[in-house]
Amino acid sequence: MATETAPPETDDEPSSGEQSSVEDSYVEPNIDVEALKGLLDGPYAGMRDLVRGNLARHSSILEEAETMTRDAFRERVKDLTLELAATGQTGMGFPESYGGGGDIGASIAAFETLAFGDLSVLVKVGVQFGLFGGAILQLGTKAHHDAYIAKVVTGELLGCFAMTETGHGSNVQALGTVATYDAAAQEFVITTTREDAWKDYIGNAAAHAELAVVFAQLVVGEDDHGVHAFVVPIRQGGRACAGVSIEDDGPKMGLNGVDNGRLHFEAVRVPRTSLLNRFADVAEDGTYSSDIDNANKRFFTMLGTLVQGRVCVGGAGINAAKVAQTIAIRYGNVRRQFEATSDTEEELLLDYGQHQRRLLPLLAHTYALHFAQEIVAGQCHDVFSGVESDELVRRQLESRAAGTKALATWHATRTIQECREACGGAGYLSVNRFAALKADTDVFTTFEGDNTVLLQLVAKGLLTDYSSDFADLDQLGMVRFVAGLAVETVLEKTNAHKLFERVRDLLPGGDQWDQEAGLLDSNYQLAMLRFREEHMLGGVARRLKRGIDNGMNPGAVFSEVQDHVIASARAHVERLVLEAFVDKVAELPDGDNKVVLSLLCDLHALSTIEADRAWFMEHGRLTTARSKSISREINSLCRKVRPLARDYVDAFGIPEEMLRAPELIGPAS
């Protein structure tokens, strides 16, 4: 990230007087905080305010997380989850006919906003209503909906989502739990076939869930039809059901209000109708049927319906970062240290250039990711509400959700740590929230998809151009596909000359566009990120093809270029994030709020380029002199953002009760 890159030492830095003359013409804008908050809240401002009110009313949960025993806190989190369900905020994604709100977008907004508070509550809500309820809704049919959804919405029926196993997390197709059909009894027999096939790390499993959606290999006779989902009772009257073994995963780094556990099945029998049969079914006589003939495509289609959880986790990570930044920036605005510019008063931390460098580019990245997340959430709403039915759009949503979740949660981890350090010893006290933020968000980079694996999914979409074969391809299939039919398409799409032709129409300087264009020109900033993305992607395609042409094993080829694959995917998502920010600024009417967002957009863009300056210099797109100019411009932007920093974080609308650090951050506005 940009904050990890020190500006270059140089003898041609302008003096402070020269800097002042350059910035004298700048007129500091005034932020309309309420208007900016409204822009950030978007079309679901009312739902977000409902959640804010609930958070404030139940703010004691933050202290209870530290003072209660683990078992007592788990019960408190469960009770609060049910209280929130009664307000309607947790059921917005379910059909109105079952007591829900019938609004996917409102559901995502509610979940994101809940991340301002205790994150055990957030995850408990996500497991119950997003994973467990969402799986029944998306993978089941009307009979399942009628039987379960209304009780899920109210919390009368608690459940869990049993996919991950001790031995397999990311590689779901290799799960060791098996569901064998017994035609005579018209039942499936659920069995844990080996020690590493225990369902593991399953939220709600250790104490509260009565039902589990269990993912298992479906076997009928001699035929294995791959992974399918089944509704399986695991607990009745507080006791494990016959054949089900339940163990507690024990203390964790964080999220100890969530009862993660392990499940083992010993020939557990469930009715044939327990199969969630939206995409495949087994008749009474054992005949297997599916409208999707290809097993890989069927599997990935099933997983694709569960993308909402990934979208929600990305948004939650961004909002957790907002909490950390609000605390750190407000602390920097009141904490003084050393007499730097005055003989009578110590300097505010946020007036130091390095403190600005630590915090303000991260603030810009948070705003950028917020607007990128807004696009993903909107696409998710359209796809799952039936507004958008194009299969290509669905595939692009899966890819974009994966990439945004990865960058958002990595950003949260980095930001929370930097903000903790920026608050010194005070930031180490639990009362100031960083202990919980660090511990509770760390796993965000892992659940709903390991971030590195998710970027491989992004690369898969790019390298296959989201073709109709996209859902059929596993990792090795992708390698063969790219090396064969798709490579010419990829190389044509990433042709550098075509990129240069496009940017010539937008930027001055002809072939020297990257040297002549203004640093604050968004067309220049986007062209730099597009060049990097397309150059990397073309390079990956060539290397994959070369490996296959040389007779290498496809798995060995992929492993050899894997770092290149991940870098290409990350470059692609970073370009999408910047595009989202640039487009949002362009939509705004002229005025001070457009100016203040433009400042952050420029800071985000140039910090992104600076963070990868070595790559741009290696590939001839950045001279030493221009690299130094970018660092100077970032410093200038930080100085402009600094007096506005408090307003920027106030616009997040985080309830004061959630900040929980009055001595650290000073009074509310």
Side-chain angles (χ1 to χ4, degrees):
M1 298 191 67
T3 52
E4 297 169 320
T5 305
E9 294 184 6
T10 174
D11 294 330
D12 55 354
E13 291 281 357
S15 67
S16 59
E18 290 173 314
Q19 288 175 342
S20 297
S21 64
V22 170
E23 296 178 15
D24 277 348
S25 59
Y26 168 72
V27 178
E28 182 180 310
N30 293 309
I31 296 182
D32 183 336
V33 174
E34 280 303 309
L36 186 54
K37 175 180 175 290
L39 180 71
L40 293 172
D41 280 355
Y44 296 106
M47 174 53 62
R48 293 184 191 276
D49 282 340
L50 170 65
V51 177
R52 288 183 177 107
N54 287 335
L55 288 172
R57 276 189 291 278
H58 299 288
S59 61
S60 63
I61 192 77
L62 299 176
E63 182 177 353
E64 291 161 352
E66 298 163 4
T67 59
M68 286 183 166
T69 65
R70 187 185 68 182
D71 289 345
F73 187 55
R74 284 177 171 180
E75 293 303 312
R76 176 72 179 104
V77 168
K78 182 196 75 171
D79 292 344
L80 181 51
T81 298
L82 298 180
E83 289 184 55
L84 295 178
T87 71
Q89 75 173 61
T90 61
M92 291 303 300
F94 294 99
E96 292 177 294
S97 56
Y98 296 107
D103 192 329
I104 301 296
S107 175
I108 296 171
F111 189 83
E112 291 172 348
T113 311
L114 194 59
F116 289 153
D118 177 78
L119 297 179
S120 284
V121 175
L122 174 90
V123 172
K124 190 80 168 179
V125 166
V127 168
Q128 167 68 14
F129 304 101
L131 294 179
F132 171 63
I136 294 174
L137 181 66
Q138 296 298 333
L139 302 180
T141 49
K142 188 175 187 300
H144 302 107
H145 300 165
D146 290 346
Y148 302 119
I149 294 297
K151 292 180 180 180
V152 170
V153 171
T154 62
E156 178 184 347
L157 175 64
L158 296 178
C160 62
F161 181 86
M163 177 182 282
T164 298
E165 295 177 356
T166 307
H168 289 92
S170 298
N171 187 10
V172 177
Q173 283 179 292
L175 294 178
T177 305
V178 174
T180 304
Y181 185 61
D182 180 347
Q186 293 190 31
E187 293 175 331
F188 288 102
V189 183
I190 313 294
T191 303
T192 301
T193 60
R194 54 182 188 264
E195 190 61 27
D196 74 348
W198 278 73
K199 295 298 180 182
D200 215 342
Y201 326 118
I202 309 301
N204 264 12
H208 298 139
E210 300 168 58
L211 288 184
V213 172
V214 176
F215 289 79
Q217 307 286 351
L218 192 161
V219 175
V220 181
E222 299 298 317
D223 298 324
D224 185 339
H225 295 284
V227 173
H228 292 65
F230 303 81
V231 178
V232 181
I234 62 169
R235 186 181 276 109
Q236 188 172 19
R239 294 180 178 274
C241 295
V244 178
S245 298
I246 303 175
E247 294 182 0
D248 198 311
D249 273 321
K252 308 183 295 288
M253 282 179 63
L255 298 174
N256 282 301
V258 181
D259 53 312
N260 293 83
R262 310 176 73 223
L263 301 173
H264 184 282
F265 303 96
E266 188 64 47
V268 174
R269 289 181 170 268
V270 296
R272 180 181 62 88
T273 53
S274 296
L275 170 66
L276 295 176
N277 60 343
R278 176 180 174 186
F279 297 110
D281 206 356
V282 174
E284 293 181 7
D285 64 358
T287 302
Y288 179 86
S289 61
S290 174
D291 292 336
I292 305 173
D293 293 332
N294 183 283
N296 268 343
K297 185 172 185 179
R298 185 166 58 243
F299 171 75
F300 286 115
T301 300
M302 176 185 72
L303 290 191
T305 64
L306 306 176
V307 73
Q308 292 176 51
R310 194 166 286 164
V311 173
C312 286
V313 170
I318 294 166
N319 274 11
K322 291 175 185 175
V323 176
Q325 289 176 320
T326 299
I327 294 170
I329 285 174
R330 285 177 59 173
Y331 179 73
N333 222 22
V334 297
R335 170 72 165 173
R336 295 182 179 273
Q337 202 73 196
F338 300 110
E339 296 88 352
T341 59
S342 170
D343 294 332
T344 60
E345 190 174 45
E346 291 183 294
E347 195 86 352
L348 288 170
L349 289 183
L350 205 50
D351 286 338
Y352 286 104
Q354 180 57 24
H355 210 74
Q356 295 169 13
R357 266 280 183 163
R358 296 177 74 176
L359 297 180
L360 301 184
L362 290 174
L363 177 65
H365 296 329
T366 297
Y367 266 79
L369 285 163
H370 175 99
F371 294 125
Q373 169 70 11
E374 190 176 81
I375 290 176
V376 175
Q379 291 177 342
C380 188
H381 173 84
D382 289 347
V383 166
F384 287 93
S385 300
V387 175
E388 179 59 74
S389 58
D390 190 317
E391 188 60 30
L392 175 62
V393 174
R394 180 181 285 268
R395 291 195 290 270
Q396 290 173 333
L397 166 63
E398 292 172 25
S399 177
R400 187 159 190 157
T404 304
K405 183 267 181 184
L407 263 61
T409 55
W410 271 329
H411 171 70
T413 298
R414 171 74 181 111
T415 298
I416 291 165
Q417 177 63 28
E418 192 68 59
C419 289
R420 204 295 301 157
E421 293 180 26
C423 292
Y428 200 64
L429 301 178
S430 293
V431 70
N432 296 326
R433 291 218 59 191
F434 289 112
L437 285 170
K438 279 169 60 67
D440 291 346
T441 61
D442 197 77
V443 75
F444 283 22
T445 62
T446 300
F447 64 31
E448 287 299 325
D450 173 88
N451 284 356
T452 298
V453 175
L454 291 182
L455 288 185
Q456 290 180 186
L457 174 64
V458 174
K460 172 184 166 183
L462 294 171
L463 289 165
T464 61
D465 201 26
Y466 305 100
S467 76
S468 59
D469 296 316
F470 176 83
D472 301 354
L473 300 174
D474 58 13
Q475 179 176 295
L476 303 188
M478 180 196 74
V479 174
R480 296 187 183 98
F481 185 93
V482 173
L485 297 176
V487 68
E488 297 304 325
T489 300
V490 174
L491 295 179
E492 177 71 12
K493 184 178 178 182
T494 61
N495 187 303
H497 295 297
K498 291 194 172 184
L499 173 65
F500 296 157
E501 289 173 6
R502 293 200 303 270
V503 300
R504 279 196 199 103
D505 296 334
L506 300 173
L507 297 170
D511 291 337
Q512 299 299 311
W513 61 269
D514 53 339
Q515 306 306 319
E516 300 296 326
L519 296 179
L520 303 184
D521 186 333
S522 60
N523 289 317
Y524 162 73
Q525 297 160 359
L526 284 168
M528 289 288 278
L529 296 198
R530 286 194 189 103
F531 173 82
R532 180 182 60 165
E533 173 191 351
E534 296 184 8
H535 191 287
M536 284 184 173
L537 192 61
V540 169
R542 291 185 184 91
R543 291 180 67 191
L544 290 171
K545 179 173 174 56
R546 185 164 59 245
I548 294 296
D549 289 349
N550 290 339
M552 291 178 63
N553 177 279
V557 173
F558 182 81
S559 180
E560 194 171 280
V561 305
Q562 194 170 18
D563 60 330
H564 200 162
V565 168
I566 299 302
S568 300
R570 182 160 192 151
H572 169 71
V573 182
E574 286 185 348
R575 191 261 299 171
L576 291 180
V577 171
L578 178 57
E579 276 188 347
F581 206 166
V582 168
D583 290 346
K584 178 59 68 173
V585 172
E587 292 171 4
L588 296 178
D590 290 341
D592 279 6
N593 274 13
K594 183 168 187 171
V595 173
V596 298
L597 281 184
S598 294
L599 290 174
L600 284 188
C601 189
D602 288 333
L603 182 54
H604 164 72
L606 295 184
S607 297
T608 301
I609 294 170
E610 183 191 57
D612 209 10
R613 72 163 92 230
W615 189 94
F616 288 108
M617 295 176 82
E618 285 174 354
H619 293 82
R621 297 266 69 88
L622 196 61
T623 64
T624 301
R626 195 162 179 85
S627 174
K628 293 175 181 177
S629 295
I630 286 175
S631 292
R632 288 195 295 271
E633 191 64 57
I634 291 172
N635 289 337
S636 173
L637 287 166
C638 284
R639 288 190 290 272
K640 293 174 181 176
V641 167
R642 185 268 172 267
L644 307 170
R646 172 65 189 267
D647 287 343
Y648 281 121
V649 296
D650 282 351
F652 292 150
I654 301 171
E656 200 71 13
E657 295 88 344
M658 294 299 99
L659 301 177
R660 203 188 166 213
E663 294 81 9
L664 190 74
I665 61 178
S669 295

